[in-house]
Amino acid sequence: EPEVTQTPSHQVTQMGQEVILRCVPISNHLYFYWYRQILGQKVEFLVSFYNNEISEKSEIFDDQFSVERPDGSNFTLKIRSTKLEDSAMYFCASSDGTGWQVVNQPQHFGDGTRLSIL
Amino acid sequence: AQRVTQPEKLLSVFKGAPVELKCNYSYSGSPELFWYVQYSRQRLQLLLRHISRESIKGFTADLNKGETSFHLKKPFAQEEDSAMYYCALSGGIQGAQKLVFGQGTRLTINP
């Protein structure tokens, strides 16, 4: 069964440094998402992406964050200048956009990248 | 505002006993509700969604719009059901539907 893959599994970065988290969504999916989960808290939506542009973003997704689909397979989340509070598990997800029931397609999640800011 | 509440952080039951994981939501439109499960050392995976009205691994969930609830139930718990369970609501602009998650309930099935 096809899966969403995320790399690296764990990223340790100094505060103020830039970090890029990488995701390879399922190949025929058209909708891409990033979520994060701070330790002990709920999974929170960051951003959704479709047709090479952001569809929706949360209040968390400020100017320090950006997303990109640099080629036909990767979907990246960049944090320009990391802060201590960016430490969290970051999940990538994708969903199918084919067929008329596009709004009902479930999201498939990757294993996550644990980001630790020192 | 969209909100999902799972009142129990931890739930522990004995094998063979019935299980009910509670989920309440707040949403002004027509919600789409999901249950996701995360087994130990595995990724979040979809367990079931209300539009399917199906039973997966013996679990069912009925959307009750009057009570704004989407409780997950299983009549006879099994040890392999031990996992983290997240209730989620889908809302947002059509097409790219973000998920709003509850805080999750850690279910432990005791032998």
Side-chain angles (χ1 to χ4, degrees):
Chain A
E1 187 175 330
E3 291 182 340
V4 175
T5 56
Q6 289 186 243
T7 54
S9 56
H10 191 190
Q11 174 78 46
V12 182
T13 302
Q14 291 287 330
M15 185 172 61
Q17 296 296 305
E18 174 183 286
V19 67
I20 297 176
L21 309 183
R22 302 181 191 281
C23 169
V24 179
I26 293 172
S27 63
N28 63 337
H29 285 186
L30 299 179
Y31 298 89
F32 314 117
Y33 311 82
W34 282 101
Y35 295 83
R36 79 169 185 192
Q37 185 177 30
I38 295 171
L39 188 63
Q41 298 185 24
K42 59 176 67 176
V43 178
E44 301 172 288
F45 168 77
L46 292 177
V47 66
S48 58
F49 192 87
Y50 170 71
N51 200 26
N52 282 320
E53 58 183 27
I54 290 174
S55 299
E56 187 176 0
K57 58 184 180 179
S58 72
E59 291 177 356
I60 302 166
F61 196 88
D62 62 22
D63 291 345
Q64 293 299 312
F65 290 86
S66 62
V67 289
E68 194 179 28
R69 189 152 162 82
D71 52 43
S73 59
N74 289 285
F75 178 52
T76 61
L77 174 70
K78 182 194 288 186
I79 308 176
R80 259 180 278 282
S81 178
T82 49
K83 309 187 203 67
L84 292 175
E85 53 264 38
D86 294 327
S87 295
M89 183 72 100
Y90 287 80
F91 294 104
C92 174
S94 68
S95 63
D96 191 358
T98 57
W100 68 275
Q101 282 191 315
V102 63
V103 297
N104 294 336
Q105 300 306 309
Q107 294 178 27
H108 298 258
F109 284 78
D111 283 330
T113 293
R114 181 169 299 284
L115 178 62
S116 300
I117 307 300
L118 304 179
Chain B
Q2 301 163 16
R3 185 178 299 160
V4 176
T5 303
Q6 292 178 250
E8 303 137 330
K9 275 193 174 179
L10 302 170
L11 183 62
S12 182
V13 301
F14 285 102
K15 177 182 169 182
V19 173
E20 182 179 46
L21 289 85
K22 296 189 188 306
C23 172
N24 288 91
Y25 67 89
S26 172
Y27 183 60
S28 56
S30 292
E32 294 187 55
L33 276 297
F34 304 83
W35 277 98
Y36 279 81
V37 61
Q38 189 172 31
Y39 300 104
S40 180
R41 302 181 188 279
Q42 294 187 29
R43 63 186 62 199
L44 271 168
Q45 51 188 282
L46 179 68
L47 180 62
L48 52 79
R49 47 184 169 157
H50 88 272
I51 58 165
S52 301
R53 302 187 66 81
E54 56 191 347
S55 173
I56 304 292
K57 299 185 180 184
F59 284 97
T60 58
D62 290 318
L63 179 61
N64 185 323
K65 292 188 178 181
E67 295 182 359
T68 60
S69 68
F70 188 57
H71 302 327
L72 183 68
K73 299 177 184 179
K74 183 169 182 176
F76 307 104
Q78 300 171 303
E79 287 185 65
E80 53 266 32
D81 296 329
S82 293
M84 195 75 179
Y85 290 81
Y86 294 95
C87 182
L89 178 152
S90 179
I93 61 175
Q94 185 170 354
Q97 299 264 331
K98 70 178 183 185
L99 288 171
V100 176
F101 285 87
Q103 67 176 13
T105 297
R106 182 169 299 282
L107 176 65
T108 302
I109 308 301
N110 300 305

